[in-house]
Amino acid sequence: NAVDTSVRAFIKSGANVDLNGGNLTLTATNTTHSVATAKPHENVSGKSLGLGASVAISLVDNVTEGVLENTASLTGVGALTLAATGTHELDTTATAGAKGGVAITPVVALTFTNNTTRVTLGSDDQVLMLAGALDATATQTVDLVTRGLGDAEADGSLALGAALALTSANEITSATTARSINAGGNVGLKARSGAKALTESQADAGGSDDKGAGNDANSQAGSQRGFGDSQAAARGKSGSGGQATPNAQTSDGPVTIAAAFAISLTDMNAKAAIGSGLTVSSGGALTLSSLVNDDAKALASGNATKGNVGVGVAVAVDRASLTNRAAIESNAVVTADGATVEAGMFNVAGN
């Protein structure tokens, strides 16, 4: 499942727009719901060998922008409103089952998503003159579910139920200006970012062989992530980003085998900012507000209940990186009737 969306409301670079005292509103709204499911028609069975395998991959890039591009010129403007809203839901599920004398069920579910929602006033040599207020708001909410579910039941000596679920989410939300502003009313730059990610892996096996190809759990995870990145590159997607895959290990060293492996990697960046060296004058209050809510969860369960060899090992790893900034950058000059500069928590219902 490969999805690439771009929704933009913008005044193009070099354009000259005269509003004759009227208001201008640029609104971009992007709502997506993506589903990738890999599931056999029915569980595979064989007298001597049962092999059931499923792979589900979601590669999703979404861009939502409300932009006054570089060198775009506005005159005679009353109030200016920029609004960009991105709402994205993604469900990736791989399910498989096998029965036989030797039963093997490898299951892989991969979610790689890159979402950007922004409002921005691009650079220009002229001061943007507004008779009224400036309200620029970027809001992004993301809900991700990645599940790998494997079930293997052997009548003989070996049942291997191996399930890996991996989520890599890169989220960017920003409200910024790169040009000077003189507004008769309030000036507001606001970024709102909420992300929820559930990564779940379940593997049930009648037995699991711990004498595999010599790869430990970290190598297995790295291999599958590399596979997903290669699929993304082949489709012109961004892939899983630069955040390193966390190691699955205890005080005794790396985990050598994991029947169930759930990995969640989230990278969130939110910013509301006035650029360096700019001058912003507001006839009312100034608000720079960046609010973020990141809720990531990794769950893994592995059961080994039957067979001559049975190993049930589950590994869940969650690594979250978050940057949240509200800033008046260096050498900027601000004149306003009060100011609020805040970087805080975004209140998302149920999250």
Side-chain angles (χ1 to χ4, degrees):
N1 183 26
V3 177
D4 191 346
T5 72
S6 178
V7 177
R8 304 184 77 231
F10 64 99
I11 305 295
K12 192 170 180 60
S13 177
N16 293 282
V17 180
D18 188 347
L19 276 297
N20 294 312
N23 299 331
L24 174 63
T25 299
L26 299 178
T27 302
T29 302
N30 189 359
T31 302
T32 66
H33 184 108
S34 304
V35 178
T37 303
K39 183 178 181 180
H41 180 66
E42 59 185 12
N43 285 352
V44 177
S45 63
K47 184 175 182 180
S48 60
L49 172 64
L51 174 61
S54 291
V55 178
I57 305 176
S58 291
L59 307 171
V60 179
D61 293 350
N62 297 303
V63 176
T64 312
E65 296 179 316
V67 180
L68 183 62
E69 292 189 346
N70 296 341
T71 72
S73 176
L74 299 178
T75 56
V77 186
L80 176 59
T81 301
L82 305 180
T85 304
T87 305
H88 308 297
E89 296 180 355
L90 178 57
D91 190 327
T92 308
T93 303
T95 305
K99 294 182 179 182
V102 174
I104 302 174
T105 307
V107 175
V108 177
L110 304 176
T111 296
F112 293 173
T113 181
N114 298 274
N115 298 301
T116 299
T117 301
R118 69 182 187 117
V119 289
T120 188
L121 304 176
S123 62
D124 191 63
D125 292 339
Q126 302 299 313
V127 176
L128 176 62
M129 304 295 295
L130 304 174
L134 169 65
D135 183 2
T137 304
T139 304
Q140 179 169 277
T141 54
V142 178
D143 192 344
L144 308 175
V145 176
T146 307
R147 288 190 173 100
L149 310 174
D151 185 7
E153 183 176 344
D155 299 327
S157 61
L158 171 63
L160 176 58
L164 182 141
L166 189 152
T167 299
S168 174
N170 299 290
E171 317 294 348
I172 298 174
T173 309
S174 64
T176 61
T177 181
R179 67 176 65 188
S180 295
I181 301 165
N182 187 320
N186 296 332
V187 172
L189 297 172
K190 292 168 280 188
R192 306 286 185 261
S193 181
K196 186 176 182 179
L198 171 63
T199 306
E200 183 178 11
S201 175
Q202 295 182 9
D204 294 314
S208 179
D209 185 5
D210 63 353
K211 299 177 182 178
N215 293 329
D216 61 22
N218 296 323
S219 298
Q220 297 167 33
S223 176
Q224 296 301 334
R225 183 178 180 182
F227 169 69
D229 280 330
S230 69
Q231 295 297 306
R235 292 163 175 78
K237 303 295 183 182
S238 301
S240 62
Q243 191 171 174
T245 305
N247 288 329
Q249 64 182 30
T250 68
S251 58
D252 296 325
V255 176
T256 57
I257 183 170
F261 204 163
I263 306 169
S264 177
L265 307 173
T266 58
D267 192 348
M268 295 187 68
N269 286 274
K271 178 172 67 173
I274 295 171
S276 299
L278 299 179
T279 298
V280 174
S281 177
S282 171
L286 169 72
T287 301
L288 294 178
S289 175
S290 180
L291 305 181
V292 175
N293 189 324
D294 184 13
D295 184 358
K297 183 184 297 183
L299 303 174
S301 62
N303 296 310
T305 58
K306 299 177 183 178
N308 295 336
V309 179
V311 177
V313 179
V315 176
V317 183
D318 190 351
R319 173 175 286 174
S321 174
L322 187 151
T323 302
N324 187 19
R325 297 182 70 244
I328 300 172
E329 303 289 6
S330 60
N331 300 316
V333 177
V334 173
T335 303
D337 186 11
T340 299
V341 181
E342 63 172 355
M345 182 71 118
F346 184 29
N347 185 10
V348 180
N351 183 15

